[in-house]
């Protein structure tokens, strides 16, 4: 079911349903489909960046990468157009559900990456890894091949100027198209990677493209995963502040600005 948060979509499906939809795409598509793993910062960006908002709106699948997105959908379903008292009351109620871990099932980029690479070996799909810095792309590729020896895999770390240097960009596009992967995982910075995929959607010989942000870093152990209980309670943001204080500004947009915008939009 497709819902809307701050004018941008959020597909509310179970993890198994998302895997089923992705399988259908890979089995049948002729043109690259775009999957966006959207967390709250994406929706905040969409309120100030029309180009990015349109990319999210045109995406074929948008997964709720974080409990705050699920909470926003639940809150808007209950509070949209209601009185101030009802809106405040529903905000408290949804907040308690977040802490209780009962707002729904998130579908994160890391979870999708782990499960889709497993499915790729089983179904003979080809996978391409693009991006990531400081050798993390190559390390992730080595780890995947050790875990899935029959996986058809290619990768390119790219360079920091991919997307701005046309010669480098052309080389990367040619390498991807020569391999013609079923799934392209792009680990540039969040939002930049979705814009890159959308810009080149018509050029890429790919079944499905997906931005994965820091997934390679997490998969390769460069970033320590948050404890499961913190994820379930919507406290992954706190974990990231603890281990990466430099992310404080971005995280505040996600945990302060995003709820305020959702509340304001519920009038």
């Amino acid at each position: 079911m497709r819902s809307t948060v701050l004018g941008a979509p959020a597909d509310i499906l179970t993890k198994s349903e998302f895997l089923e939809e992705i399988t259908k795409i890979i089995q049948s598509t002729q043109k690259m489909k775009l999957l966006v793993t959207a967390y709250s910062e994406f929706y905040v960006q969409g309120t100030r960046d029309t180009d990015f908002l349109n990319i999210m709106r045109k995406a074929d699948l948008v997964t709720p990468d974080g409990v705050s997105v699920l909470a926003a959908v639940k809150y808007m379903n209950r509070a949209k157009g209601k009185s101030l008292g009802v809106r405040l009351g529903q905000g408290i109620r949804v907040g308690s559900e977040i802490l209780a871990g009962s707002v729904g099932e998130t579908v994160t980029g890391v979870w999708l990456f782990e499960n889709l690479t497993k499915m790729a070996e089983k179904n003979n799909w080809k996978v391409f890894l693009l991006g990531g810095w400081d050798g993390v792309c190559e390390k992730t590729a080595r780890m995947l091949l050790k875990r899935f020896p029959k996986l058809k895999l290619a990768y390119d770390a790219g360079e920091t100027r991919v997307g701005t240097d046309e010669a480098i960009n052309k080389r990367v596009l040619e390498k991807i198209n020569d391999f013609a992967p079923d799934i392209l995982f792009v680990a540039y910075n969040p939002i930049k990677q979705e814009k890159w995929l959308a810009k080149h959607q018509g050029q890429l010989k790919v079944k499905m493209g997906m931005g994965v942000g820091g997934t390679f870093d997490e998969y390769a152990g460069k970033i320590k995963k948050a404890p499961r209980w913190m994820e379930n309670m919507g406290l992954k943001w706190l974990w990231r502040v603890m281990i990466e204080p430099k992310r404080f500004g971005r995280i505040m947009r996600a945990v302060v600005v995003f709820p305020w915008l959702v509340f304001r939009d519920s009038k």
Side-chain angles (χ1 to χ4, degrees):
M1 181 181 70
R2 175 153 284 197
S3 298
T4 301
V5 177
L6 300 179
D11 293 316
I12 308 303
L13 303 171
T14 65
K15 289 178 175 177
S16 61
E17 287 172 337
F18 269 112
L19 294 180
E20 289 173 9
E21 290 300 314
I22 292 168
T23 299
K24 290 177 185 177
I25 287 173
I26 293 172
Q27 290 175 342
S28 63
T29 192
Q30 298 299 317
K31 178 184 175 182
M32 190 194 90
K33 305 297 185 184
L34 177 61
L35 184 153
V36 174
T37 57
Y39 49 97
S40 49
E41 188 179 353
F42 277 35
Y43 293 92
V44 175
Q45 181 68 18
T47 65
R48 60 185 69 162
D49 184 339
T50 303
D51 290 340
F52 184 64
L53 177 62
N54 287 332
I55 288 170
M56 289 186 67
R57 286 175 171 172
K58 293 177 182 178
D60 298 278
L61 286 172
V62 181
T63 75
D65 190 341
V67 297
S68 56
V69 177
L70 293 170
V73 170
K74 184 169 285 192
Y75 172 77
M76 292 298 285
N77 287 340
R78 296 173 180 174
K80 181 71 173 179
K82 301 294 178 62
S83 68
L84 177 61
V86 170
R87 290 160 56 213
L88 289 171
Q90 288 299 331
I92 294 171
R93 180 181 173 188
V94 172
S96 66
E97 291 174 9
I98 291 174
L99 294 176
S102 60
V103 293
E105 191 171 64
T106 60
V107 184
T108 67
V110 174
W111 185 88
L112 280 171
F113 180 76
E114 292 175 342
N115 283 271
L116 288 175
T117 49
K118 179 179 179 180
M119 291 173 65
E121 184 192 45
K122 180 180 178 181
N123 295 303
N124 205 32
W125 297 340
K126 292 192 289 184
V127 172
F128 196 105
L129 312 182
L130 175 63
W133 318 120
D134 299 325
V136 73
C137 185
E138 182 178 357
K139 182 177 180 180
T140 300
R142 289 200 307 267
M143 290 175 66
L144 284 172
L145 290 173
K146 183 176 181 180
R147 185 179 180 188
F148 308 118
K150 297 181 180 179
L151 178 63
K152 294 181 178 179
L153 178 70
Y155 67 91
D156 193 304
E159 292 89 355
T160 56
R161 292 171 295 166
V162 167
T164 57
D165 186 307
E166 285 305 315
I168 294 172
N169 206 44
K170 182 180 178 181
R171 179 190 65 76
V172 168
L173 288 169
E174 288 177 349
K175 185 173 181 178
I176 294 169
N177 287 340
D178 286 344
F179 187 65
D182 295 288
I183 305 175
L184 169 63
F185 294 109
V186 181
Y188 294 154
N189 292 331
I191 299 171
K192 176 184 176 182
Q193 63 202 12
E194 282 75 25
K195 288 186 173 183
W196 188 88
L197 281 164
K199 179 180 179 180
H200 301 290
Q201 189 167 6
Q203 300 170 260
L204 286 162
K205 296 179 181 178
V206 175
K207 297 290 185 66
M208 190 194 75
M210 169 183 162
V212 292
T215 291
F216 296 170
D217 293 310
E218 194 164 328
Y219 188 84
K222 188 176 179 181
I223 297 176
K224 190 174 180 181
K225 291 184 178 181
R228 181 63 60 84
W229 67 268
M230 292 187 81
E231 285 199 32
N232 291 341
M233 293 178 66
L235 296 175
K236 187 175 180 178
W237 64 270
L238 179 59
W239 175 259
R240 294 303 291 269
V241 169
M242 291 166 57
I243 65 174
E244 293 183 280
K246 65 181 181 181
R247 294 172 61 94
F248 181 80
R250 284 182 55 190
I251 290 171
M252 285 302 100
R253 287 196 293 274
V255 301
V256 177
V257 177
F258 176 67
W260 161 247
L261 291 175
V262 171
F263 176 75
R264 190 181 67 180
D265 196 47
S266 68
K267 289 182 180 179

